[in-house]
Amino acid sequence: MSRILAISGSIRTESFNTAVLNALAPFAPEGMSIEVFKGIDELPHFNQDLEGDVPASVIRLREAVQAADGVVISTPEYNRAIPGVLKNALDWASRPYGQSSWQGKPVAVLSSSPGVQGGIRAQEELKGQLRNLAAYVVSGPEIAIPEVHTRVSVDAQAVATLNDPATAGMVKYLLEALQLAVDANTGANHVKALNAWAASLAG
Ligand SMILES: Cc1cc2nc3c(=O)[nH]c(=O)nc-3n(C[C@H](O)[C@H](O)[C@H](O)COP(=O)(O)O)c2cc1C
């Protein structure tokens, strides 16, 4: 069994990236459950002044990331970069100093856009940031979904479906790779090495 937290980089009601995450479940390996996080729109702008009395919305995000065996993030691209709301969530969950929720966490990243490049530049930026946070980023090839409006649909009951077999195949691969990363415990082992080094610096 593995519990995966899904985070959308868009807070738009009809977000394609959120729809993609809502459509993942049929492609998950056996035993994997996927819960889509609701609430990055409730996070205040990151401000160190708030760290003494951390808002409940922040605690909820941190606890959700910590409790998950792995995370999958789908990001849009805004002006060739990741959306501010997503960067804000990364920053909040990277604190307090020395207790980042991202350290060692297996993370699979995808991106989607109505455009033809599928948000690939935002995806690369996001992967770089996650690596800096010592998350264990599932390696390539990149899963970027171009012309996403033609590949995902949401019905009147709010059920999201991936309609495109090629996209479905890519997503299946990504979730299998995430499961392998969870099983291998590579992220947690990396953190052990990191902490041993940090302890040696402290003397
Ligand atoms: C401020 C802004 C900047 C955008 N910049 C890009 C961009 O650089 N590349 C791109 O592919 N799409 C860009 N778009 C279009 C988004 O990909 C599109 O709005 C998408 O539907 C947003 O993701 P969502 O559906 O998950 O909310 C931009 C949209 C906005 C509002």
Side-chain angles (χ1 to χ4, degrees), residues 19-48:
V20 166
L21 294 176
N22 282 326
L24 290 182
F27 310 104
E30 207 180 323
M32 176 186 280
S33 66
I34 302 173
E35 183 197 341
V36 180
F37 185 78
K38 293 186 181 70
I40 68 166
D41 54 339
E42 291 164 18
L43 300 170
H45 292 160
F46 180 79
N47 179 346
Q48 281 186 272

Side-chain angles (χ1 to χ4, degrees), residues 8 10-12 14-18 76-81 112-119 121 148:
S8 174
S10 172
I11 58 175
R12 193 170 73 88
E14 295 190 356
S15 161
F16 291 115
N17 284 279
T18 306
E77 182 172 272
Y78 284 172
N79 299 318
R80 315 291 190 261
S112 79
S113 167
V116 293
Q117 292 185 309
R121 292 154 295 204
V148 62

